[in-house]
Coordinates of all heavy atoms in Angstrom, one line a residue:
V1 N 199.0 -86.2 36.5 CA 200.0 -85.2 36.5 C 199.4 -83.9 36.0 O 198.3 -83.9 35.5 CB 201.2 -85.5 35.6 CG1 201.9 -86.8 36.0 CG2 200.8 -85.7 34.1
E2 N 200.1 -82.8 36.3 CA 199.4 -81.5 36.0 C 200.1 -80.9 34.7 O 201.3 -81.1 34.5 CB 199.7 -80.6 37.2 CG 198.9 -79.4 37.2 CD 199.1 -78.6 38.5 OE1 198.4 -79.0 39.5 OE2 199.9 -77.7 38.5
M3 N 199.2 -80.2 33.9 CA 199.8 -79.5 32.8 C 199.0 -78.3 32.5 O 197.9 -78.1 32.9 CB 199.8 -80.4 31.5 CG 198.5 -80.9 31.0 SD 197.7 -79.7 30.0 CE 199.0 -79.0 29.0
T4 N 199.7 -77.3 31.9 CA 199.1 -76.0 31.6 C 199.1 -75.7 30.1 O 200.1 -75.8 29.5 CB 199.8 -74.9 32.4 OG1 199.7 -75.2 33.8 CG2 199.2 -73.5 32.2
F5 N 198.0 -75.2 29.6 CA 197.8 -74.7 28.3 C 198.0 -73.2 28.4 O 197.3 -72.6 29.3 CB 196.5 -75.0 27.6 CG 196.4 -76.4 27.1 CD1 195.6 -77.3 27.8 CD2 197.1 -76.8 26.0 CE1 195.5 -78.6 27.3 CE2 197.0 -78.1 25.5 CZ 196.2 -79.1 26.1
I6 N 198.7 -72.5 27.6 CA 198.8 -71.1 27.5 C 198.0 -70.7 26.2 O 198.4 -71.0 25.1 CB 200.2 -70.5 27.5 CG1 200.9 -71.0 28.8 CG2 200.2 -69.0 27.4 CD1 202.4 -71.0 28.7
L7 N 196.9 -70.1 26.3 CA 196.0 -69.8 25.2 C 196.6 -68.6 24.3 O 197.3 -67.9 24.8 CB 194.6 -69.5 25.7 CG 193.7 -70.7 26.0 CD1 194.3 -71.6 27.0 CD2 192.3 -70.3 26.5
P8 N 196.1 -68.5 23.1 CA 196.5 -67.5 22.3 C 196.3 -66.1 22.9 O 197.0 -65.2 22.6 CB 195.7 -67.6 21.0 CG 195.3 -69.1 20.9 CD 195.2 -69.5 22.4
N9 N 195.3 -65.9 23.8 CA 195.1 -64.6 24.4 C 195.9 -64.5 25.7 O 195.6 -63.6 26.5 CB 193.6 -64.4 24.6 CG 193.0 -65.3 25.6 OD1 193.8 -66.1 26.3 ND2 191.8 -65.3 25.9
D10 N 196.8 -65.4 25.9 CA 197.7 -65.4 27.1 C 197.1 -65.8 28.4 O 197.8 -65.8 29.4 CB 198.4 -64.0 27.3 CG 199.6 -63.8 26.4 OD1 200.1 -64.8 25.9 OD2 199.9 -62.6 26.2
T11 N 195.8 -66.3 28.4 CA 195.4 -66.8 29.6 C 195.9 -68.2 29.8 O 196.2 -68.9 28.8 CB 193.8 -66.8 29.7 OG1 193.3 -67.5 28.6 CG2 193.2 -65.4 29.8
E12 N 195.9 -68.7 31.0 CA 196.5 -70.0 31.3 C 195.4 -70.9 31.9 O 194.6 -70.5 32.7 CB 197.6 -69.9 32.3 CG 198.8 -69.1 31.8 CD 200.1 -69.2 32.6 OE1 200.0 -70.0 33.6 OE2 201.1 -68.5 32.3
K13 N 195.4 -72.2 31.4 CA 194.4 -73.2 31.9 C 195.2 -74.4 32.4 O 196.0 -74.9 31.6 CB 193.4 -73.6 30.9 CG 192.6 -72.4 30.3 CD 191.3 -72.3 31.2 CE 190.5 -71.2 30.6 NZ 189.5 -70.6 31.5
T14 N 195.0 -74.8 33.6 CA 195.8 -75.9 34.2 C 194.8 -77.1 34.4 O 193.7 -76.9 34.8 CB 196.5 -75.5 35.5 OG1 197.4 -74.5 35.2 CG2 197.2 -76.7 36.1
F15 N 195.3 -78.3 34.0 CA 194.4 -79.5 34.1 C 195.2 -80.6 34.7 O 196.4 -80.6 34.6 CB 194.0 -79.9 32.7 CG 193.1 -78.9 32.0 CD1 193.6 -78.2 30.9 CD2 191.8 -78.7 32.4 CE1 192.9 -77.2 30.3 CE2 191.0 -77.8 31.7 CZ 191.5 -77.0 30.7
Q16 N 194.5 -81.5 35.3 CA 195.1 -82.8 35.7 C 194.9 -83.8 34.5 O 193.9 -83.9 33.9 CB 194.3 -83.4 36.9 CG 194.4 -82.5 38.2 CD 195.8 -82.4 38.6 OE1 196.6 -83.3 38.6 NE2 196.2 -81.2 39.1
M17 N 196.0 -84.4 34.3 CA 196.1 -85.4 33.2 C 196.3 -86.8 33.7 O 197.3 -87.0 34.4 CB 197.3 -85.1 32.3 CG 197.1 -84.4 31.0 SD 198.8 -84.2 30.3 CE 198.7 -85.3 28.9
P18 N 195.4 -87.7 33.4 CA 195.6 -89.1 33.8 C 196.9 -89.6 33.1 O 197.1 -89.3 32.0 CB 194.4 -89.9 33.4 CG 193.5 -88.9 32.7 CD 194.2 -87.6 32.6
L19 N 197.7 -90.4 33.8 CA 198.9 -91.0 33.2 C 198.4 -91.8 32.0 O 197.4 -92.5 32.0 CB 199.6 -92.0 34.2 CG 200.3 -91.3 35.3 CD1 200.9 -92.3 36.3 CD2 201.5 -90.4 34.8
G20 N 199.1 -91.6 30.9 CA 198.8 -92.4 29.7 C 197.9 -91.6 28.7 O 197.8 -92.0 27.6
A21 N 197.3 -90.5 29.2 CA 196.4 -89.8 28.3 C 197.3 -88.9 27.4 O 198.4 -88.6 27.8 CB 195.5 -88.8 29.1
S22 N 196.8 -88.5 26.3 CA 197.6 -87.7 25.4 C 197.1 -86.2 25.7 O 196.0 -85.9 26.0 CB 197.4 -88.0 23.9 OG 196.3 -87.4 23.4
L23 N 198.1 -85.3 25.4 CA 197.8 -83.9 25.6 C 196.7 -83.4 24.7 O 195.9 -82.5 25.1 CB 199.2 -83.2 25.3 CG 199.4 -81.9 25.9 CD1 199.4 -82.0 27.4 CD2 200.7 -81.3 25.4
M24 N 196.7 -84.0 23.5 CA 195.6 -83.6 22.6 C 194.2 -83.9 23.2 O 193.3 -83.1 23.1 CB 195.8 -84.3 21.3 CG 194.7 -84.1 20.2 SD 193.2 -85.1 20.4 CE 193.7 -86.6 19.7
E25 N 194.1 -85.1 23.8 CA 192.8 -85.5 24.4 C 192.4 -84.5 25.5 O 191.2 -84.1 25.6 CB 192.9 -86.9 24.9 CG 193.1 -88.0 23.9 CD 193.5 -89.3 24.4 OE1 194.1 -89.4 25.5 OE2 193.2 -90.3 23.7
V26 N 193.3 -84.1 26.3 CA 193.0 -83.2 27.4 C 192.6 -81.8 26.8 O 191.6 -81.3 27.2 CB 194.2 -83.0 28.4 CG1 193.9 -82.0 29.4 CG2 194.6 -84.3 28.9
G27 N 193.3 -81.3 25.8 CA 193.0 -80.1 25.2 C 191.6 -80.1 24.5 O 190.8 -79.2 24.6
R28 N 191.4 -81.2 23.7 CA 190.2 -81.3 23.0 C 189.0 -81.5 23.9 O 187.9 -80.8 23.8 CB 190.3 -82.6 22.0 CG 189.1 -82.8 21.2 CD 189.1 -84.2 20.6 NE 189.2 -85.2 21.6 CZ 189.5 -86.5 21.4 NH1 189.8 -86.9 20.2 NH2 189.5 -87.4 22.4
D29 N 189.1 -82.4 24.9 CA 188.0 -82.6 25.8 C 187.6 -81.4 26.7 O 186.5 -81.3 27.2 CB 188.3 -83.8 26.7 CG 188.4 -85.1 25.8 OD1 188.1 -85.1 24.6 OD2 188.8 -86.1 26.4
N30 N 188.6 -80.5 26.8 CA 188.3 -79.3 27.6 C 188.1 -78.1 26.7 O 188.1 -77.0 27.2 CB 189.5 -79.0 28.6 CG 189.5 -80.1 29.7 OD1 188.6 -80.0 30.6 ND2 190.4 -81.0 29.7
E31 N 187.9 -78.4 25.5 CA 187.6 -77.3 24.5 C 188.6 -76.2 24.4 O 188.1 -75.0 24.4 CB 186.1 -76.9 24.7 CG 185.1 -78.0 24.5 CD 183.7 -77.7 24.7 OE1 183.4 -76.5 25.1 OE2 182.9 -78.6 24.6
M32 N 189.8 -76.5 24.5 CA 190.8 -75.5 24.3 C 190.8 -75.0 22.8 O 190.7 -75.8 21.9 CB 192.2 -76.0 24.6 CG 192.5 -76.4 26.1 SD 192.4 -74.9 27.1 CE 190.8 -75.0 27.8
P33 N 190.9 -73.7 22.6 CA 190.8 -73.2 21.2 C 192.0 -73.7 20.4 O 193.1 -73.9 21.0 CB 190.9 -71.7 21.4 CG 191.6 -71.5 22.8 CD 191.1 -72.6 23.6
N34 N 191.8 -74.1 19.2 CA 192.8 -74.5 18.2 C 193.4 -75.9 18.5 O 194.3 -76.3 17.9 CB 193.9 -73.5 18.1 CG 193.4 -72.2 17.6 OD1 192.3 -72.1 17.1 ND2 194.2 -71.1 17.7
I35 N 192.8 -76.6 19.5 CA 193.2 -78.0 19.7 C 192.1 -78.8 19.2 O 191.1 -79.1 19.9 CB 193.6 -78.3 21.1 CG1 194.7 -77.4 21.6 CG2 194.0 -79.8 21.3 CD1 196.1 -77.6 21.0
E36 N 192.1 -79.2 17.9 CA 191.0 -79.9 17.4 C 191.2 -81.4 17.3 O 190.2 -82.2 17.5 CB 190.7 -79.3 16.0 CG 190.2 -77.9 16.1 CD 190.0 -77.3 14.7 OE1 190.2 -77.9 13.7 OE2 189.6 -76.1 14.7
G37 N 192.4 -81.8 17.1 CA 192.6 -83.3 17.0 C 191.8 -84.0 16.0 O 191.2 -85.1 16.3
T38 N 191.6 -83.4 14.9 CA 190.6 -83.9 13.9 C 190.8 -85.4 13.5 O 189.8 -86.1 13.3 CB 190.7 -83.1 12.6 OG1 190.7 -81.7 13.0 CG2 189.5 -83.3 11.7
C39 N 192.1 -85.8 13.5 CA 192.3 -87.2 13.0 C 192.3 -88.2 14.2 O 192.5 -89.4 14.0 CB 193.6 -87.3 12.3 SG 195.1 -87.3 13.4
G40 N 192.0 -87.7 15.3 CA 191.9 -88.6 16.5 C 193.3 -89.1 17.0 O 193.4 -90.2 17.7
G41 N 194.3 -88.4 16.6 CA 195.6 -88.8 17.2 C 196.4 -89.8 16.3 O 197.3 -90.4 16.7
N42 N 196.1 -89.8 15.0 CA 196.7 -90.7 14.1 C 197.8 -90.1 13.2 O 198.1 -90.7 12.2 CB 195.6 -91.4 13.2 CG 194.8 -92.3 14.0 OD1 195.3 -93.1 14.8 ND2 193.4 -92.2 13.8
L43 N 198.2 -88.9 13.5 CA 199.3 -88.2 12.8 C 198.8 -88.0 11.3 O 199.6 -88.2 10.4 CB 200.6 -89.0 12.8 CG 201.4 -88.9 14.0 CD1 202.6 -89.9 14.0 CD2 201.9 -87.5 14.3
E44 N 197.6 -87.5 11.2 CA 197.1 -87.3 9.9 C 196.5 -85.9 9.8 O 195.8 -85.5 8.8 CB 196.0 -88.3 9.5 CG 196.6 -89.7 9.3 CD 195.5 -90.8 9.2 OE1 194.3 -90.5 9.4 OE2 195.9 -91.9 9.0
C45 N 196.7 -85.0 10.8 CA 196.1 -83.7 10.6 C 197.1 -82.5 11.0 O 197.4 -81.7 10.1 CB 194.8 -83.6 11.4 SG 194.9 -83.7 13.1
A46 N 197.6 -82.4 12.1 CA 198.4 -81.2 12.6 C 197.4 -80.2 13.3 O 197.8 -79.1 13.6 CB 199.2 -80.6 11.6
T47 N 196.2 -80.5 13.5 CA 195.3 -79.6 14.3 C 195.4 -79.8 15.8 O 194.6 -79.4 16.5 CB 193.8 -79.8 13.9 OG1 193.4 -81.2 14.3 CG2 193.6 -79.7 12.4
C48 N 196.5 -80.4 16.2 CA 196.8 -80.6 17.6 C 198.1 -80.0 17.9 O 198.7 -80.3 18.9 CB 196.8 -82.1 18.0 SG 198.1 -83.0 17.1
H49 N 198.6 -79.1 17.0 CA 199.9 -78.4 17.2 C 200.0 -77.6 18.5 O 199.1 -76.8 18.8 CB 200.1 -77.5 16.0 CG 201.3 -76.6 16.0 ND1 201.3 -75.4 15.3 CD2 202.5 -76.8 16.6 CE1 202.5 -74.8 15.5 NE2 203.2 -75.7 16.3
V50 N 201.1 -77.8 19.2 CA 201.4 -77.0 20.4 C 202.8 -76.6 20.4 O 203.6 -77.2 19.7 CB 201.0 -77.6 21.7 CG1 199.5 -77.9 21.9 CG2 201.9 -78.9 21.9
I51 N 203.2 -75.5 21.1 CA 204.6 -75.1 21.2 C 205.0 -75.3 22.7 O 204.4 -74.7 23.6 CB 204.7 -73.7 20.8 CG1 204.3 -73.5 19.3 CG2 206.2 -73.2 21.0 CD1 204.0 -72.1 18.9
V52 N 206.0 -76.2 22.9 CA 206.3 -76.7 24.2 C 207.3 -75.7 24.9 O 208.2 -75.2 24.2 CB 207.0 -78.1 24.1 CG1 207.6 -78.5 25.4 CG2 206.0 -79.1 23.6
D53 N 207.1 -75.4 26.2 CA 208.0 -74.6 26.9 C 209.4 -75.2 26.8 O 209.5 -76.4 27.1 CB 207.5 -74.6 28.4 CG 208.4 -73.8 29.3 OD1 209.6 -73.7 29.1 OD2 207.8 -73.3 30.3
P54 N 210.4 -74.5 26.4 CA 211.7 -75.0 26.2 C 212.2 -75.8 27.4 O 213.0 -76.7 27.3 CB 212.6 -73.8 25.9 CG 211.6 -72.7 25.5 CD 210.3 -73.0 26.1
A55 N 211.8 -75.4 28.6 CA 212.3 -76.1 29.8 C 211.9 -77.6 29.8 O 212.5 -78.4 30.5 CB 211.7 -75.4 31.0
F56 N 210.9 -77.9 29.0 CA 210.4 -79.3 29.0 C 210.7 -80.1 27.7 O 210.6 -81.3 27.7 CB 208.8 -79.3 29.2 CG 208.4 -79.0 30.5 CD1 208.2 -77.7 30.9 CD2 208.3 -80.0 31.5 CE1 207.7 -77.4 32.2 CE2 207.9 -79.7 32.8 CZ 207.7 -78.4 33.2
A57 N 211.3 -79.4 26.8 CA 211.5 -80.0 25.5 C 212.3 -81.3 25.6 O 212.0 -82.2 24.9 CB 212.2 -79.0 24.5
E58 N 213.3 -81.3 26.4 CA 214.2 -82.4 26.5 C 213.6 -83.6 27.2 O 214.1 -84.7 27.2 CB 215.5 -82.0 27.2 CG 216.1 -80.9 26.6 CD 217.6 -81.2 26.1 OE1 218.3 -81.7 27.0 OE2 217.9 -80.9 25.0
K59 N 212.5 -83.3 28.0 CA 211.9 -84.4 28.7 C 210.9 -85.2 27.9 O 210.3 -86.2 28.3 CB 211.1 -83.9 29.9 CG 212.1 -83.2 30.9 CD 211.4 -82.7 32.1 CE 212.4 -82.0 33.1 NZ 211.7 -81.4 34.1
L60 N 210.6 -84.7 26.7 CA 209.7 -85.4 25.8 C 210.3 -86.3 24.9 O 211.5 -86.2 24.6 CB 208.9 -84.3 25.0 CG 208.1 -83.3 25.9 CD1 207.7 -82.2 25.0 CD2 206.9 -84.0 26.5
P61 N 209.6 -87.3 24.4 CA 210.2 -88.3 23.5 C 210.5 -87.5 22.2 O 209.8 -86.5 21.8 CB 209.1 -89.3 23.2 CG 207.8 -88.7 23.7 CD 208.2 -87.7 24.7
P62 N 211.5 -88.0 21.4 CA 211.9 -87.3 20.2 C 210.8 -87.3 19.2 O 209.9 -88.2 19.2 CB 213.2 -88.0 19.7 CG 213.2 -89.3 20.5 CD 212.4 -89.1 21.7
V63 N 210.9 -86.4 18.2 CA 209.9 -86.3 17.1 C 210.1 -87.5 16.2 O 211.3 -87.7 15.7 CB 210.1 -84.9 16.4 CG1 209.1 -84.9 15.2 CG2 209.9 -83.8 17.3
S64 N 209.1 -88.2 15.9 CA 209.3 -89.3 15.0 C 209.2 -88.8 13.6 O 208.8 -87.7 13.3 CB 208.1 -90.4 15.2 OG 206.9 -89.8 14.8
E65 N 209.6 -89.7 12.6 CA 209.6 -89.3 11.2 C 208.1 -88.9 10.8 O 207.9 -87.9 10.1 CB 210.0 -90.4 10.3 CG 211.1 -90.1 9.4 CD 211.6 -91.4 8.7 OE1 212.5 -92.0 9.2 OE2 211.0 -91.7 7.6
E66 N 207.2 -89.6 11.2 CA 205.8 -89.4 10.9 C 205.3 -88.0 11.5 O 204.6 -87.3 10.8 CB 204.8 -90.5 11.4 CG 205.0 -91.8 10.7 CD 206.2 -92.6 11.2 OE1 206.8 -92.2 12.2 OE2 206.5 -93.7 10.7
E67 N 205.7 -87.8 12.7 CA 205.4 -86.5 13.3 C 206.0 -85.4 12.6 O 205.4 -84.3 12.3 CB 205.7 -86.5 14.8 CG 205.3 -85.2 15.5 CD 205.6 -85.2 17.0 OE1 206.1 -86.2 17.6 OE2 205.4 -84.1 17.6
E68 N 207.3 -85.5 12.2 CA 208.0 -84.5 11.5 C 207.3 -84.2 10.2 O 207.1 -83.0 9.8 CB 209.4 -85.0 11.2 CG 210.3 -84.2 10.4 CD 210.6 -82.8 11.0 OE1 210.7 -82.7 12.2 OE2 210.6 -81.8 10.2
D69 N 206.9 -85.2 9.4 CA 206.2 -85.0 8.2 C 204.9 -84.2 8.4 O 204.6 -83.3 7.6 CB 205.8 -86.4 7.5 CG 207.0 -87.1 7.0 OD1 208.1 -86.4 6.9 OD2 206.9 -88.3 6.6
M70 N 204.2 -84.5 9.4 CA 202.9 -83.8 9.6 C 203.1 -82.4 10.2 O 202.4 -81.5 9.9 CB 202.0 -84.6 10.6 CG 200.6 -84.4 10.5 SD 199.9 -84.1 8.8 CE 200.0 -85.8 8.1
L71 N 204.2 -82.2 11.0 CA 204.5 -80.9 11.5 C 204.7 -79.8 10.5 O 204.6 -78.6 10.7 CB 205.7 -80.9 12.4 CG 205.5 -81.2 13.9 CD1 206.8 -81.5 14.6 CD2 204.8 -80.1 14.6
E72 N 205.1 -80.3 9.2 CA 205.3 -79.3 8.2 C 204.0 -78.6 7.8 O 204.0 -77.5 7.3 CB 205.8 -80.0 6.9 CG 207.3 -80.4 7.1 CD 207.9 -81.3 6.0 OE1 207.3 -81.2 4.9 OE2 208.9 -81.9 6.3
Y73 N 202.9 -79.1 8.2 CA 201.6 -78.5 7.9 C 201.1 -77.6 9.1 O 200.2 -76.9 8.9 CB 200.5 -79.5 7.7 CG 200.8 -80.4 6.5 CD1 201.4 -81.6 6.6 CD2 200.4 -80.0 5.2 CE1 201.7 -82.4 5.5 CE2 200.6 -80.7 4.1 CZ 201.3 -81.9 4.2 OH 201.6 -82.7 3.2
A74 N 201.9 -77.6 10.2 CA 201.5 -76.8 11.3 C 201.8 -75.3 11.0 O 202.8 -74.9 10.5 CB 202.3 -77.2 12.5
I75 N 200.8 -74.4 11.3 CA 200.9 -73.0 11.1 C 201.7 -72.4 12.2 O 201.4 -72.6 13.4 CB 199.5 -72.4 10.9 CG1 198.9 -73.0 9.6 CG2 199.6 -70.9 10.7 CD1 197.4 -72.6 9.4
G76 N 202.7 -71.6 11.9 CA 203.5 -70.9 12.9 C 204.4 -71.9 13.6 O 204.7 -71.8 14.8
R77 N 205.0 -72.8 12.9 CA 205.8 -73.8 13.5 C 207.1 -73.2 14.1 O 207.6 -72.2 13.5 CB 206.2 -74.8 12.4 CG 207.1 -75.9 13.0 CD 207.5 -77.0 12.0 NE 208.3 -78.0 12.6 CZ 208.9 -79.0 12.1 NH1 208.7 -79.2 10.8 NH2 209.6 -79.8 12.8
T78 N 207.5 -73.7 15.2 CA 208.7 -73.2 15.9 C 209.6 -74.4 16.2 O 209.1 -75.6 16.1 CB 208.4 -72.5 17.2 OG1 208.2 -73.5 18.2 CG2 207.3 -71.5 17.1
P79 N 210.9 -74.2 16.6 CA 211.7 -75.4 17.0 C 211.1 -76.2 18.1 O 211.5 -77.4 18.2 CB 213.1 -74.7 17.4 CG 213.1 -73.4 16.7 CD 211.6 -72.9 16.6
N80 N 210.3 -75.7 18.9 CA 209.7 -76.4 20.0 C 208.2 -76.9 19.7 O 207.5 -77.3 20.6 CB 209.7 -75.7 21.3 CG 211.1 -75.6 21.8 OD1 211.9 -76.5 21.8 ND2 211.5 -74.4 22.3
S81 N 207.9 -76.8 18.4 CA 206.5 -77.3 18.0 C 206.5 -78.8 18.1 O 207.4 -79.5 17.8 CB 206.2 -76.9 16.6 OG 206.0 -75.5 16.5
R82 N 205.3 -79.3 18.6 CA 205.0 -80.7 18.7 C 203.5 -80.9 18.3 O 202.8 -80.0 18.4 CB 205.3 -81.3 20.1 CG 206.7 -81.2 20.5 CD 207.7 -82.1 19.7 NE 207.3 -83.5 19.7 CZ 207.9 -84.5 20.3 NH1 208.9 -84.2 21.2 NH2 207.6 -85.7 20.2
L83 N 203.3 -82.2 18.0 CA 201.8 -82.5 17.8 C 201.4 -83.2 19.1 O 202.0 -84.1 19.6 CB 201.7 -83.5 16.6 CG 202.1 -82.8 15.3 CD1 202.0 -83.8 14.2 CD2 201.2 -81.6 15.0
S84 N 200.4 -82.5 19.8 CA 200.1 -82.9 21.1 C 199.5 -84.3 21.3 O 199.5 -84.9 22.3 CB 199.2 -81.9 21.7 OG 198.0 -81.8 21.0
C85 N 199.0 -84.9 20.1 CA 198.5 -86.3 20.2 C 199.7 -87.2 20.4 O 199.5 -88.4 20.8 CB 197.7 -86.7 19.0 SG 198.7 -86.7 17.5
Q86 N 200.9 -86.8 20.2 CA 202.1 -87.6 20.4 C 202.7 -87.5 21.8 O 203.7 -88.1 22.1 CB 203.1 -87.4 19.3 CG 202.6 -87.6 17.9 CD 202.0 -89.0 17.7 OE1 202.7 -90.0 17.9 NE2 200.7 -89.1 17.4
L87 N 202.1 -86.6 22.6 CA 202.7 -86.4 24.0 C 201.8 -87.0 25.0 O 200.7 -86.6 25.2 CB 202.8 -84.9 24.2 CG 203.7 -84.1 23.1 CD1 203.7 -82.6 23.3 CD2 205.1 -84.7 23.0
T88 N 202.4 -88.0 25.6 CA 201.6 -88.8 26.6 C 202.0 -88.4 28.0 O 203.2 -88.1 28.3 CB 201.9 -90.3 26.4 OG1 201.6 -90.6 25.0 CG2 201.0 -91.2 27.3
A89 N 201.0 -88.4 28.9 CA 201.3 -88.0 30.3 C 202.2 -89.1 31.0 O 201.8 -90.2 31.0 CB 200.0 -87.8 31.0
T90 N 203.3 -88.6 31.4 CA 204.2 -89.4 32.3 C 204.6 -88.6 33.5 O 204.5 -87.3 33.4 CB 205.5 -89.8 31.5 OG1 206.2 -88.6 31.1 CG2 205.2 -90.6 30.3
R91 N 205.1 -89.2 34.5 CA 205.5 -88.4 35.7 C 206.6 -87.4 35.3 O 206.7 -86.4 35.9 CB 206.1 -89.4 36.8 CG 204.9 -90.2 37.3 CD 205.3 -91.0 38.6 NE 204.5 -92.2 38.7 CZ 203.2 -92.2 39.1 NH1 202.6 -91.0 39.3 NH2 202.5 -93.3 39.1
E92 N 207.5 -87.7 34.4 CA 208.6 -86.9 34.0 C 208.1 -85.5 33.5 O 208.8 -84.5 33.6 CB 209.4 -87.5 32.9 CG 210.3 -88.6 33.3 CD 209.5 -89.9 33.5 OE1 208.6 -90.2 32.7 OE2 209.7 -90.5 34.6
I93 N 206.9 -85.5 32.9 CA 206.5 -84.2 32.4 C 205.5 -83.5 33.3 O 204.8 -82.6 32.9 CB 205.9 -84.3 30.9 CG1 204.6 -85.2 31.0 CG2 206.9 -84.9 30.0 CD1 203.7 -85.0 29.7
N94 N 205.4 -83.9 34.5 CA 204.5 -83.2 35.4 C 204.8 -81.7 35.5 O 206.0 -81.3 35.5 CB 204.7 -83.8 36.9 CG 203.6 -83.3 37.8 OD1 202.5 -82.9 37.4 ND2 204.0 -83.1 39.1
G95 N 203.8 -80.8 35.3 CA 204.1 -79.4 35.3 C 204.2 -78.9 33.9 O 204.5 -77.6 33.7
L96 N 204.2 -79.7 32.9 CA 204.4 -79.3 31.5 C 203.6 -78.1 31.1 O 202.4 -78.0 31.5 CB 204.0 -80.5 30.6 CG 204.1 -80.2 29.0 CD1 205.6 -80.0 28.7 CD2 203.5 -81.3 28.3
R97 N 204.2 -77.2 30.4 CA 203.5 -76.0 29.9 C 203.6 -75.9 28.4 O 204.8 -76.1 27.9 CB 204.1 -74.7 30.5 CG 203.9 -74.6 32.0 CD 204.8 -73.5 32.6 NE 204.5 -72.2 32.1 CZ 203.5 -71.4 32.5 NH1 202.7 -71.9 33.5 NH2 203.3 -70.3 32.0
V98 N 202.5 -75.7 27.7 CA 202.6 -75.6 26.2 C 201.7 -74.4 25.8 O 200.7 -74.1 26.4 CB 202.1 -76.9 25.5 CG1 202.9 -78.1 25.9 CG2 200.6 -77.2 25.7
M99 N 202.2 -73.8 24.7 CA 201.4 -72.7 24.2 C 200.6 -73.2 23.0 O 201.1 -74.0 22.2 CB 202.4 -71.6 23.6 CG 202.8 -70.6 24.6 SD 204.2 -69.6 24.0 CE 203.8 -69.4 22.3
I100 N 199.4 -72.6 22.9 CA 198.5 -73.0 21.8 C 198.7 -72.0 20.7 O 198.7 -70.8 21.0 CB 197.1 -73.0 22.2 CG1 196.9 -74.1 23.3 CG2 196.1 -73.3 21.0 CD1 195.5 -74.2 23.9
P101 N 199.0 -72.5 19.5 CA 199.2 -71.5 18.4 C 198.0 -70.7 18.0 O 196.9 -71.1 18.4 CB 199.7 -72.3 17.2 CG 199.3 -73.7 17.5 CD 199.1 -73.8 19.0
T102 N 198.1 -69.6 17.3 CA 197.0 -68.7 17.0 C 196.2 -69.2 15.8 O 195.1 -68.7 15.6 CB 197.5 -67.3 16.7 OG1 198.5 -67.4 15.7 CG2 198.0 -66.6 17.9
A103 N 196.7 -70.2 15.1 CA 195.9 -70.7 14.0 C 196.0 -72.2 13.8 O 197.0 -72.8 14.2 CB 196.4 -70.0 12.7
V104 N 195.0 -72.8 13.2 CA 195.1 -74.2 12.9 C 195.1 -74.4 11.4 O 194.5 -73.5 10.7 CB 193.8 -75.0 13.4 CG1 194.1 -75.4 14.9 CG2 192.6 -74.2 13.3
P105 N 195.7 -75.4 10.9 CA 195.7 -75.7 9.4 C 194.3 -75.8 8.9 O 193.4 -76.4 9.6 CB 196.5 -77.0 9.3 CG 197.2 -77.3 10.6 CD 196.4 -76.5 11.6
Ligands
FES201 FE1 195.9 -85.4 14.2 FE2 197.5 -85.1 16.3 S1 195.4 -85.2 16.3 S2 198.0 -85.2 14.2

């Protein structure tokens, strides 16, 4: 499926995501700024924070308690903030667009 990162400088980068991959892995492996994924997707960092395009917010799985706890450390959190390691590629989210925040914790 296809997804697009909107970088802090407003440029857009679109990638193909294999089904089952996490958004954090795609961002990290393509060296997107501020997507560090330091904890490897274990909900222990918040360096994978992204802001989801509101049009897609409802298509994503709800925020778990663990994700909620860790999101408190995200800098510049918004109502559509998510931890990208918790967002897995499915056909429903084809075309997903997320903004990368300007700072990492
Ligand atoms: Fe650490 Fe997502 S990679 S919380």
Side-chain angles (χ1 to χ4, degrees):
V1 300
E2 197 172 274
M3 64 80 44
T4 299
F5 284 107
I6 302 159
L7 277 56
N9 67 4
D10 277 342
T11 56
E12 298 193 2
K13 299 271 184 199
T14 298
F15 298 105
Q16 294 300 323
M17 256 179 110
L19 287 175
S22 86
L23 206 61
M24 178 277 279
E25 292 166 337
V26 177
R28 181 194 59 193
D29 295 350
N30 288 290
E31 297 179 1
M32 291 296 98
N34 298 347
I35 301 291
E36 294 176 0
T38 311
C39 78
N42 291 316
L43 283 176
E44 288 166 359
C45 66
T47 64
C48 62
H49 174 209
V50 295
I51 299 160
V52 174
D53 181 327
F56 286 90
E58 305 238 308
K59 298 184 180 171
L60 297 170
V63 180
S64 68
E65 232 173 272
E66 292 81 5
E67 184 178 352
E68 175 62 37
D69 287 348
M70 201 44 69
L71 268 170
E72 287 174 19
Y73 297 94
I75 295 172
R77 184 178 179 183
T78 77
N80 288 318
S81 286
R82 295 296 303 257
L83 295 177
S84 60
C85 66
Q86 301 304 301
L87 305 178
T88 304
T90 59
R91 292 191 205 289
E92 289 71 48
I93 63 162
N94 188 31
L96 177 68
R97 294 166 62 81
V98 302
M99 273 167 41
I100 299 179
T102 49
V104 273

